[in-house]
Amino acid sequence: MLPVNRGRAPHRAGMDFTDVKRKPSVLSKVVLALVLTVFCVYILKQSPGIAGTNMFSVHEPGVTHVLVTGGAGFIGSHAALRLLKDNYRVTIVDNLSRGNMAAVKILQGLFPEPGRLQFIYGDLGNAKVVNKIFSENAFDAVIHFAAVAYVGESTLEPLRYYHNITANTLTIMEAMAAHRVKTLIYSSTCATYGEPEKMPITEVTPQVPINPYGKAKKMAEDIILDFSKNSDMAVMILRYFNVIGSDPEGRLGEAPRPELREHGRISGACFDAARGIIPGLKVRGTDYPTQDGTCIRDYIDVTDLVDAHVKALGKAEPGKVGIYNVGTGRGLFALAPSPIFRRSVKEFVEACKKATGVEIKVEYLPRRPGDYAEVYSDPSKINRELNWTAKNTDLQESLSIAWRWQKSHRNGYGSS
């Protein structure tokens, strides 16, 4: 007799009829996985510690977020490097008209961690762009470097300088006020003093600038000071002198646009002459009332200058304004055992020849429009109040460090 099948489907080899019962379980697992995925994505987006872009848009306890305008430039990039080394969060805004994107990429390579550094391409002359940048980022402080900065060029293009320096600073101030950013470190210049009757220059020396660059910077200072009178903003204004040198570890250097060499720093011209890019060095002005007829300047190493900005940032207090000269001071002359950077142009050229090992050809020409005979600072106020003093005061050594970068970057950052 055959067995009776009592309502069950016959079993066939290789077939499992429990699949029908498992389908609901599999479906529920899929749904649960989707729910968890959506939840995790939501958490990631809400967490400033994980979401890369959002880390810059929120204030985080224990982290100071600094906007560095002009951070792709020579001084600005060195400042960004120092801030990052000191664990600040940094946003660089630059339109790259004078800066180098390659410098920013070097910084990004050194500090790749999320929330450390971001670069925003932007023109400070566009108020809508500036306001958007401020609305999308939670800045705690601004260090305002961005500016065209050549005395000779300013005499040829004065309107450009007033727009780029004065008007753009006004735009920055309006954005800071609107978005309640309470700390400003302003990068100014000794050019605001013009040709003082007495040396050394102190912070109370009358400001009577004699070229559009100095005038535009003084106007920007006036805007900042007028606003600060009815504000609790912490303001530091640093008036600095002639900047030389570069990063001692060789990561960053100075690489101006080729078309700007005519207006650039004397150190850049010396290096160009030593490398044969230009036939020789042109020294403008030999009839100044100085010991050898050439201009006397107060030179400061870029690492010391950056250190002054960082110290100013750390010491800035709400509702207070600090104004400081950043230079090496009067000190001693070149033959003293401890040389300082108050040197004539001729002395500077001799130091550059020694640093490069090249006998640079020098051509002496008439004065450059807008230049002044003798400028050096009294840094005692910044020494006293910010505990800052210039440390890299060997002129030849600073030039040697800068020269090493120049030799290994013959096409600027393009060859790095």
Coordinates of all heavy atoms in Angstrom, one line a residue, residues 164-212:
N164 N 42.2 98.2 -4.2 CA 42.6 96.9 -3.7 C 42.9 96.9 -2.2 O 42.6 96.0 -1.5 CB 43.9 96.5 -4.4 CG 44.4 95.1 -4.0 OD1 45.2 95.0 -3.0 ND2 44.0 94.1 -4.7
I165 N 43.5 98.0 -1.7 CA 43.8 98.1 -0.3 C 42.7 98.7 0.6 O 42.2 98.1 1.5 CB 45.1 98.9 -0.1 CG1 46.3 98.1 -0.8 CG2 45.4 99.1 1.4 CD1 47.6 98.9 -0.8
T166 N 42.3 99.9 0.2 CA 41.4 100.6 1.1 C 40.0 100.1 1.0 O 39.3 99.7 2.0 CB 41.4 102.1 0.8 OG1 42.8 102.6 0.7 CG2 40.6 102.9 1.8
A167 N 39.5 100.0 -0.3 CA 38.1 99.6 -0.5 C 37.9 98.1 0.0 O 36.9 97.8 0.6 CB 37.7 99.7 -1.9
N168 N 38.9 97.3 -0.3 CA 38.7 95.9 0.1 C 38.8 95.7 1.6 O 38.1 94.8 2.1 CB 39.8 95.0 -0.6 CG 39.6 94.8 -2.1 OD1 38.7 95.4 -2.6 ND2 40.5 94.0 -2.7
T169 N 39.6 96.5 2.3 CA 39.6 96.5 3.7 C 38.2 96.9 4.3 O 37.7 96.3 5.2 CB 40.7 97.4 4.3 OG1 41.9 96.9 3.8 CG2 40.7 97.3 5.8
L170 N 37.6 97.9 3.7 CA 36.2 98.3 4.1 C 35.3 97.1 3.9 O 34.4 96.8 4.8 CB 35.8 99.5 3.3 CG 34.3 99.9 3.5 CD1 34.1 100.3 5.0 CD2 34.0 101.1 2.6
T171 N 35.4 96.4 2.8 CA 34.5 95.2 2.6 C 34.7 94.1 3.6 O 33.7 93.6 4.1 CB 34.8 94.6 1.2 OG1 34.5 95.6 0.2 CG2 33.9 93.4 0.9
I172 N 36.0 93.9 4.0 CA 36.3 92.9 5.0 C 35.7 93.4 6.4 O 35.0 92.6 7.1 CB 37.8 92.7 5.2 CG1 38.3 91.9 4.0 CG2 38.1 92.0 6.5 CD1 38.0 90.5 4.0
M173 N 35.8 94.6 6.7 CA 35.3 95.1 8.0 C 33.8 95.0 8.0 O 33.2 94.7 9.1 CB 35.7 96.6 8.1 CG 37.2 96.8 8.3 SD 37.8 96.0 9.8 CE 36.9 96.8 11.1
E174 N 33.1 95.3 6.9 CA 31.6 95.2 6.9 C 31.2 93.7 7.1 O 30.2 93.5 7.8 CB 31.1 95.7 5.5 CG 31.2 97.2 5.4 CD 30.8 97.7 4.0 OE1 31.0 97.0 3.1 OE2 30.5 98.9 3.9
A175 N 31.9 92.8 6.5 CA 31.6 91.4 6.6 C 31.9 90.9 8.1 O 31.0 90.2 8.6 CB 32.4 90.6 5.6
M176 N 32.9 91.4 8.7 CA 33.2 91.0 10.0 C 32.2 91.5 11.0 O 31.7 90.8 11.9 CB 34.6 91.6 10.4 CG 35.8 90.9 9.8 SD 37.4 91.5 10.3 CE 37.4 90.9 12.0
A177 N 31.7 92.8 10.7 CA 30.7 93.3 11.6 C 29.4 92.6 11.4 O 28.7 92.3 12.4 CB 30.5 94.8 11.3
A178 N 29.0 92.3 10.2 CA 27.7 91.6 9.9 C 27.7 90.2 10.5 O 26.6 89.7 10.9 CB 27.5 91.6 8.4
H179 N 28.8 89.5 10.5 CA 28.9 88.1 11.0 C 29.5 88.0 12.3 O 29.9 86.9 12.7 CB 29.6 87.3 9.9 CG 28.8 87.3 8.6 ND1 27.8 86.4 8.4 CD2 29.0 88.0 7.5 CE1 27.3 86.6 7.1 NE2 28.0 87.6 6.6
R180 N 29.7 89.1 13.0 CA 30.2 89.1 14.4 C 31.5 88.4 14.6 O 31.7 87.6 15.5 CB 29.1 88.5 15.3 CG 27.8 89.3 15.3 CD 26.8 88.6 16.3 NE 25.6 89.4 16.4 CZ 24.6 89.3 15.5 NH1 24.7 88.4 14.6 NH2 23.5 90.0 15.7
V181 N 32.5 88.6 13.7 CA 33.8 88.1 13.9 C 34.6 89.2 14.6 O 34.7 90.3 14.2 CB 34.5 87.8 12.5 CG1 35.9 87.3 12.7 CG2 33.7 86.8 11.7
K182 N 35.1 88.8 15.8 CA 35.5 89.8 16.7 C 37.0 90.1 16.8 O 37.4 91.0 17.6 CB 35.0 89.4 18.1 CG 33.5 89.3 18.3 CD 32.9 90.6 18.1 CE 31.4 90.6 18.4 NZ 30.7 91.9 18.3
T183 N 37.8 89.5 16.0 CA 39.3 89.7 16.1 C 39.9 90.0 14.7 O 39.7 89.2 13.8 CB 40.0 88.5 16.8 OG1 39.4 88.3 18.1 CG2 41.5 88.8 16.9
L184 N 40.6 91.1 14.6 CA 41.3 91.5 13.4 C 42.8 91.7 13.6 O 43.1 92.6 14.5 CB 40.6 92.7 12.7 CG 41.4 93.3 11.5 CD1 41.3 92.3 10.3 CD2 40.8 94.6 11.1
I185 N 43.6 91.1 12.9 CA 45.0 91.4 12.8 C 45.3 92.0 11.4 O 45.1 91.3 10.4 CB 45.9 90.2 13.0 CG1 45.4 89.3 14.2 CG2 47.4 90.6 13.2 CD1 45.4 90.1 15.5
Y186 N 45.7 93.3 11.4 CA 45.8 94.0 10.1 C 47.3 94.1 9.8 O 48.1 94.7 10.5 CB 45.1 95.3 10.1 CG 45.2 96.0 8.8 CD1 44.7 95.4 7.6 CD2 45.9 97.2 8.6 CE1 44.7 96.0 6.4 CE2 45.9 97.9 7.4 CZ 45.4 97.2 6.3 OH 45.5 97.8 5.0
S187 N 47.6 93.7 8.6 CA 49.0 93.8 8.1 C 49.2 95.1 7.4 O 48.8 95.3 6.3 CB 49.2 92.6 7.1 OG 50.5 92.7 6.5
S188 N 49.8 96.0 8.1 CA 50.1 97.4 7.5 C 51.5 97.5 7.2 O 52.2 96.5 6.9 CB 49.6 98.4 8.5 OG 49.5 99.7 7.9
T189 N 52.0 98.8 7.1 CA 53.3 99.0 6.6 C 54.0 100.3 7.2 O 53.3 101.2 7.5 CB 53.3 99.2 5.0 OG1 54.5 99.6 4.5 CG2 52.2 100.2 4.6
C190 N 55.3 100.3 7.2 CA 56.0 101.5 7.6 C 55.8 102.6 6.6 O 56.2 103.7 6.8 CB 57.5 101.1 7.7 SG 58.3 100.6 6.2
A191 N 55.3 102.3 5.4 CA 55.1 103.3 4.3 C 54.1 104.3 4.8 O 54.0 105.4 4.2 CB 54.7 102.6 3.0
T192 N 53.3 104.0 5.8 CA 52.3 105.0 6.3 C 53.0 106.2 6.9 O 52.4 107.2 7.1 CB 51.3 104.4 7.3 OG1 52.0 103.9 8.4 CG2 50.6 103.2 6.6
Y193 N 54.3 106.0 7.3 CA 55.0 107.1 8.0 C 55.6 108.1 7.0 O 55.9 109.2 7.4 CB 56.1 106.5 8.9 CG 55.6 105.7 10.1 CD1 55.8 104.4 10.2 CD2 54.9 106.3 11.1 CE1 55.4 103.6 11.3 CE2 54.5 105.6 12.2 CZ 54.7 104.2 12.3 OH 54.3 103.5 13.3
G194 N 55.8 107.7 5.8 CA 56.4 108.6 4.9 C 57.8 108.9 5.2 O 58.6 107.9 5.3
E195 N 58.3 110.1 5.2 CA 59.6 110.5 5.6 C 59.7 111.2 6.9 O 59.7 112.4 6.9 CB 60.3 111.3 4.4 CG 60.5 110.6 3.1 CD 61.3 111.5 2.1 OE1 60.8 112.6 1.8 OE2 62.3 111.0 1.7
P196 N 59.7 110.5 8.0 CA 59.7 111.1 9.3 C 61.0 112.0 9.5 O 62.0 111.8 9.0 CB 59.8 109.9 10.3 CG 59.3 108.8 9.5 CD 59.8 109.0 8.1
E197 N 60.8 113.0 10.3 CA 61.9 114.0 10.6 C 62.9 113.4 11.6 O 64.0 113.7 11.6 CB 61.3 115.3 11.1 CG 60.5 116.1 10.1 CD 59.9 117.4 10.7 OE1 60.3 117.6 11.9 OE2 59.2 118.1 10.0
K198 N 62.4 112.4 12.4 CA 63.2 111.8 13.4 C 63.3 110.3 13.3 O 62.3 109.7 12.9 CB 62.8 112.2 14.8 CG 62.9 113.7 15.1 CD 62.4 114.0 16.5 CE 62.5 115.5 16.9 NZ 62.1 115.8 18.3
M199 N 64.4 109.8 13.6 CA 64.6 108.3 13.6 C 65.0 107.9 15.0 O 65.7 108.7 15.7 CB 65.6 107.9 12.6 CG 65.1 107.9 11.2 SD 63.9 106.7 10.9 CE 63.1 107.4 9.4
P200 N 64.7 106.8 15.5 CA 63.9 105.7 14.9 C 62.4 106.1 14.9 O 61.9 106.9 15.6 CB 64.2 104.5 15.7 CG 64.4 105.0 17.1 CD 65.1 106.3 16.9
I201 N 61.6 105.3 14.1 CA 60.2 105.5 14.0 C 59.5 104.8 15.2 O 59.8 103.6 15.5 CB 59.6 104.9 12.7 CG1 60.2 105.7 11.5 CG2 58.1 104.9 12.7 CD1 59.8 105.1 10.2
T202 N 58.7 105.5 15.9 CA 57.8 104.9 17.0 C 56.4 104.9 16.5 O 56.0 105.4 15.5 CB 57.9 105.7 18.3 OG1 57.3 106.9 18.1 CG2 59.4 105.9 18.7
E203 N 55.5 104.2 17.3 CA 54.1 104.1 16.9 C 53.4 105.5 16.9 O 52.3 105.6 16.4 CB 53.4 103.1 17.8 CG 53.8 101.7 17.6 CD 55.1 101.3 18.2 OE1 55.8 102.1 18.8 OE2 55.5 100.1 18.0
V204 N 54.0 106.5 17.6 CA 53.3 107.8 17.6 C 54.0 108.8 16.6 O 53.6 109.9 16.6 CB 53.4 108.4 19.1 CG1 52.6 107.5 20.0 CG2 54.8 108.6 19.5
T205 N 54.9 108.3 15.9 CA 55.5 109.1 14.8 C 54.4 109.5 13.8 O 53.6 108.7 13.4 CB 56.6 108.3 14.0 OG1 57.7 108.1 14.9 CG2 57.1 109.1 12.8
P206 N 54.3 110.8 13.5 CA 53.2 111.2 12.5 C 53.2 110.4 11.3 O 54.3 110.2 10.7 CB 53.5 112.7 12.3 CG 54.3 113.1 13.5 CD 55.1 111.9 13.9
Q207 N 52.0 110.1 10.8 CA 51.9 109.3 9.6 C 51.6 110.3 8.4 O 50.5 110.9 8.3 CB 50.7 108.3 9.7 CG 51.0 107.1 10.6 CD 49.8 106.2 10.7 OE1 48.8 106.6 11.4 NE2 49.9 105.1 10.1
V208 N 52.6 110.5 7.6 CA 52.5 111.4 6.4 C 53.0 110.6 5.2 O 54.1 110.9 4.7 CB 53.2 112.7 6.6 CG1 52.9 113.7 5.5 CG2 52.9 113.3 8.0
P209 N 52.2 109.7 4.7 CA 52.7 108.8 3.6 C 52.9 109.7 2.3 O 52.2 110.7 2.1 CB 51.6 107.8 3.4 CG 50.4 108.4 4.0 CD 50.9 109.3 5.1
I210 N 53.9 109.2 1.5 CA 54.3 110.0 0.3 C 54.0 109.3 -1.0 O 54.3 109.8 -2.1 CB 55.7 110.5 0.4 CG1 56.7 109.3 0.4 CG2 56.0 111.4 1.6 CD1 58.1 109.6 0.2
N211 N 53.4 108.1 -0.9 CA 53.1 107.4 -2.1 C 51.7 106.7 -2.0 O 51.2 106.5 -0.8 CB 54.2 106.3 -2.5 CG 54.5 105.4 -1.3 OD1 53.6 104.7 -0.9 ND2 55.7 105.4 -0.8
P212 N 51.1 106.4 -3.1 CA 49.7 105.8 -3.0 C 49.6 104.5 -2.2 O 48.6 104.3 -1.5 CB 49.3 105.5 -4.4 CG 50.1 106.6 -5.2 CD 51.4 106.7 -4.5

